[in-house]
Amino acid sequence: MFSPIGRYSVAGRGQGGGGDPDRFMFFGSRARAPSGNIVTALAGTNYYCCKIVVPSPQFVTRTFKFHLPGFASTEGGNSPQETTVTGTIGAPGNSVVVDALYAIISGVPHQCKFGGNDGVTVADQTNGQWTDDLTTPDVPPETDVELWLFYHVAVGEKVWPIYRIQKHRGERIWGANDNASLLGFLTDPLADSTAALDTAYGTQNQPQYYAPDCFMMAKGGWDGRPVGLAFVDSVGESRQEYSAAADLRGMLGYLRRYLDKDAGIGRIPFCMIGMPGAGSVREFTGTGAAIATRRRDIIREAIAFNNGKWPFTVVINQLGQNDTSTLYNTWFNTNYRSNVTRIRAEYPGVKIVAFPPLGRTDIQRTITLTSVGTVATAAIASGTTGLQSGQTVSISGATPAAYNGSYVITVVDANTFTYNFAGGTSPATGTIRANDLGLNALYQLYTAQNSYPADGTDASGKWRLRADILAKTSACCDDAIDTYAAWVSGVKAGCWPGMLEFPSTTLTAQSGTDGIVTYNTITVADASIFRPEQQLNIYTGPEGIARLSTQTIASIAGNVITYQASSAVVLPAGSVVRPSAAPQESSTPVSYVHPFPIMIDRIVANMDQGEKVKLVAA
């Protein structure tokens, strides 16, 4: 638990110390900034009730304030521009009508008001609407607060996205023809979500529904511990970990899990205002069709009704992953430091603690192919390091197509391997690549602007950025919490761990019968090392290098794993089941950049919780 350090500034501008019972502080660490794909209301479900569950911090809270946005940010190339709207930029679309908002705490409902009214209309392309102050009896530390938002639009109208519903934590999304039909769920809070709205659970395609966003605040017994305003991108905001994988407090991704872990100085509350794709150069700037200042302005509103005090004490900056440039000067000064400059101007004297970005590596190597009969010979100028005879390698990009596919190889020498195939003309043509699917880190290559170690040239841009962050170059931060030791492979510096470095398990019973009849479940000796949405690679036992199947987990029950798809491949008992470190990004060559759950677990487990003390403002 955090021990107050006994320092608190007169202005209350971001200093730690003994707390302030009259100061609103961000607390909704499970909550999200609005972003994602917009939802269109369908007949029969254009009235909604969205229930999310937000855990309270490790101190007593008693007065709350929640926010409903009138926009959402894009995800991807233009992120975090706030241009996901119900109309078009400059021509507002439909509004969302809020019928009621309840905070249910320890089973007791408390209705939030909007200017004294039960409901409010949230207009498109506005900052949104705040609730009135909601004062309740003291809420004990680490209490779940249920937020029930009832709202509607006309059939065919649109609603801004925020949350993928975490059903295993009691979150729900219900829909009906009218609001009255939804009110009954207040007495049946664990009733199943409406099937038409609850689709693609545990995947990136799961719809995201409207509810109070990340700008939720509370005051009461704040004990002076750090409270963060976090600028993040797709690595910080868990692009490859979705609703079904959330922990008991709703946390997803390495950064949320690290900050919220009850260790070191305790759980650190935060407001995470980024989303997948966010880049420093676009954050807190822009207008019109490139606007990314609404979240900044919402915080300004919060400061105004917070008696001029920030609702946070420290800025956490995880950006940098998407600031890449062929010229490092542009990467660091024009892109990365531009938002640092804006942060320092917006919040004078604030402490900025940076988390350097993860590296990026290729898991494919370019090859040339020749053949004699049914034996193909692959030549790799960059070497066969990391490959071994008997393992499966995936070949792509070759003409004739018969060369392509997944084949068990024989390593001949330092630059050559062979495999058997159906046969084809020689040599093969095309841009041909061999992919080991991340089995061995020694096979990985550093991508453009990612060569390791940092060598002072543009070629090692990402590692130069890490070095500059750790050195606090040009006041780019005031301190840094490094992830490198927690993240890196144990066999090759600057690379992701290979599957061989992760825990694995085995099948306890055969799956599949004849290679024709399909199935979608396997039973393993230990499923505890996996989470939903994780990619699995299944290999022949006992060596575990000849691959039989690649699948993605839909759900886990005990030691039974259900796939998102189905398979007919016969998997004998004893087959080795290995998790991937990251998805194969659709770059060329295929690369690793966004961590899968097994990698997130590794990072969080290995990061030093004692480093959280760096978040304490001086």
Side-chain angles (χ1 to χ4, degrees):
M1 187 70 68
F2 180 75
S3 177
I5 60 175
R7 294 194 294 272
Y8 183 74
S9 73
V10 174
R13 302 287 268 177
Q15 305 306 308
D20 179 349
D22 295 319
R23 180 175 174 182
F24 276 113
M25 303 300 290
F26 290 133
F27 83 95
S29 302
R30 179 274 183 264
R32 286 193 79 245
S35 73
N37 296 317
I38 209 156
V39 173
T40 300
L42 304 177
T45 57
N46 60 305
Y47 280 75
Y48 300 86
C49 175
C50 181
K51 178 180 72 162
I52 62 167
V53 181
V54 178
S56 71
Q58 287 184 308
F59 48 83
V60 169
T61 47
R62 67 179 64 92
T63 301
F64 300 89
K65 206 168 184 69
F66 303 103
H67 184 264
L68 298 169
F71 65 93
S73 290
T74 62
E75 296 183 2
N78 291 325
S79 177
Q81 290 173 3
E82 299 146 343
T83 52
T84 298
V85 295
T86 64
T88 58
I89 297 296
N94 63 268
S95 300
V96 171
V97 180
V98 172
D99 300 296
L101 172 61
Y102 293 91
I104 300 182
I105 304 171
S106 300
V108 179
H110 305 270
Q111 186 167 8
C112 299
K113 299 287 186 174
F114 301 87
N117 299 313
D118 291 344
V120 71
T121 296
V122 184
D124 185 43
Q125 296 176 54
T126 63
N127 291 353
Q129 298 283 347
W130 289 97
T131 64
D132 300 341
D133 294 3
L134 172 68
T135 299
T136 70
D138 282 2
V139 178
E142 302 188 55
T143 296
D144 281 345
V145 177
E146 298 180 8
L147 297 175
W148 294 58
L149 184 70
F150 295 83
Y151 59 97
H152 70 272
V153 295
V155 172
E157 290 189 336
K158 300 174 180 179
V159 184
W160 310 286
I162 306 180
Y163 295 98
R164 294 181 177 92
I165 302 305
Q166 299 173 358
K167 292 193 293 185
H168 63 291
R169 298 185 55 250
E171 297 186 347
R172 295 292 186 269
I173 179 66
W174 297 291
N177 283 310
D178 55 75
N179 187 55
S181 299
L182 297 171
L183 293 175
F185 289 113
L186 286 166
T187 58
D188 191 12
L190 294 179
D192 288 343
S193 294
T194 301
L197 303 180
D198 181 24
T199 60
Y201 186 59
T203 72
Q204 190 172 8
N205 293 325
Q206 181 182 356
Q208 294 172 241
Y209 292 103
Y210 189 66
D213 62 22
C214 60
F215 301 106
M216 52 184 67
M217 303 182 295
K219 58 184 176 181
W222 173 50
D223 54 9
R225 75 181 61 217
V227 176
L229 173 64
F231 292 82
V232 300
D233 59 26
S234 50
V235 175
E237 184 45 314
S238 58
R239 180 182 172 192
Q240 298 306 147
E241 195 176 31
Y242 305 113
S243 57
D247 68 15
L248 294 179
R249 286 174 55 86
M251 303 303 146
L252 294 164
Y254 96 83
L255 187 58
R256 287 182 188 272
R257 291 175 185 271
Y258 172 75
L259 294 171
D260 192 62
K261 190 172 182 177
D262 189 10
I265 58 174
R267 303 190 196 276
I268 304 300
F270 55 87
C271 172
M272 189 171 282
I273 64 168
M275 62 285 301
S280 300
V281 75
R282 297 181 297 275
E283 187 59 274
F284 267 31
T285 189
T287 58
I291 190 171
T293 57
R294 293 194 186 281
R295 288 159 299 127
R296 179 203 67 188
D297 292 345
I298 291 167
I299 297 171
R300 287 179 177 178
E301 294 170 0
I303 293 169
F305 59 65
N306 206 23
N307 298 315
K309 299 174 182 178
W310 304 334
F312 58 92
T313 66
V314 62
V315 163
I316 296 166
N317 187 13
Q318 180 269 318
L319 297 174
Q321 194 79 33
N322 297 321
D323 296 321
T324 56
S325 171
T326 55
L327 299 176
Y328 181 70
N329 181 63
T330 301
W331 188 337
F332 181 59
N333 291 308
T334 304
N335 295 350
Y336 183 77
R337 286 186 57 234
S338 65
N339 192 51
V340 171
T341 300
R342 290 189 292 274
I343 291 170
R344 294 200 185 281
E346 184 75 11
Y347 312 115
V350 73
K351 183 176 186 179
I352 300 176
V353 178
F355 285 70
L358 309 184
R360 187 175 190 132
T361 54
D362 292 336
I363 58 173
Q364 289 182 327
R365 296 192 182 197
T366 300
I367 64 175
T368 58
L369 285 173
T370 57
S371 63
V372 176
T374 59
V375 178
T377 298
I380 313 181
S382 57
T384 55
T385 303
L387 299 180
Q388 56 184 305
S389 295
Q391 84 171 86
T392 300
V393 170
S394 294
I395 310 297
S396 61
T399 302
Y403 284 98
N404 299 322
S406 295
Y407 297 102
V408 174
I409 66 167
T410 299
V411 177
V412 177
D413 56 37
N415 296 97
T416 312
F417 67 82
T418 62
Y419 62 90
N420 295 318
F421 77 126
T425 56
S426 179
T429 59
T431 301
I432 311 170
R433 293 189 170 91
N435 185 350
D436 81 333
L437 269 65
L439 183 67
N440 192 328
L442 292 174
Y443 187 69
Q444 294 176 38
L445 297 175
Y446 305 117
T447 62
Q449 287 84 55
N450 282 269
S451 64
Y452 185 90
D455 61 5
T457 70
D458 292 331
S460 62
K462 190 157 291 184
W463 296 110
R464 285 185 69 186
L465 177 61
R466 172 176 173 265
D468 276 333
I469 288 173
L470 297 180
K472 309 173 194 176
T473 302
S474 301
C476 67
C477 63
D478 299 294
D479 219 329
I481 298 176
D482 197 9
T483 59
Y484 180 78
W487 161 83
V488 74
S489 164
V491 300
K492 186 173 181 179
C495 285
W496 291 71
M499 281 185 269
L500 295 174
E501 299 176 63
F502 289 119
S504 63
T505 188
T506 57
L507 266 65
T508 58
Q510 178 173 305
S511 292
T513 55
D514 55 7
I516 299 173
V517 177
T518 61
Y519 61 91
N520 68 348
T521 63
I522 58 174
T523 303
V524 299
D526 180 14
S528 67
I529 61 176
F530 304 122
R531 289 205 295 274
E533 304 130 44
Q534 196 164 3
Q535 189 180 89
L536 299 179
N537 293 278
I538 304 169
Y539 294 81
T540 57
E543 296 86 359
I545 60 173
R547 184 163 37 86
L548 298 171
S549 183
T550 297
Q551 301 292 335
T552 301
I553 300 173
S555 62
I556 303 172
N559 285 326
V560 177
I561 296 173
T562 300
Y563 295 161
Q564 288 185 7
S566 60
S567 175
V569 176
V570 177
L571 303 177
S575 296
V576 179
V577 186
R578 299 187 182 281
S580 294
Q584 298 182 59
E585 299 291 325
S586 57
S587 56
T588 304
V590 166
S591 62
Y592 271 176
V593 63
H594 293 105
F596 266 144
I598 191 74
M599 190 68 191
I600 290 168
D601 286 347
R602 179 188 181 108
I603 295 170
V604 175
N606 291 330
M607 285 185 69
D608 182 359
Q609 284 285 317
E611 291 273 271
K612 282 181 180 174
V613 73
K614 293 180 177 179
L615 299 168
V616 177

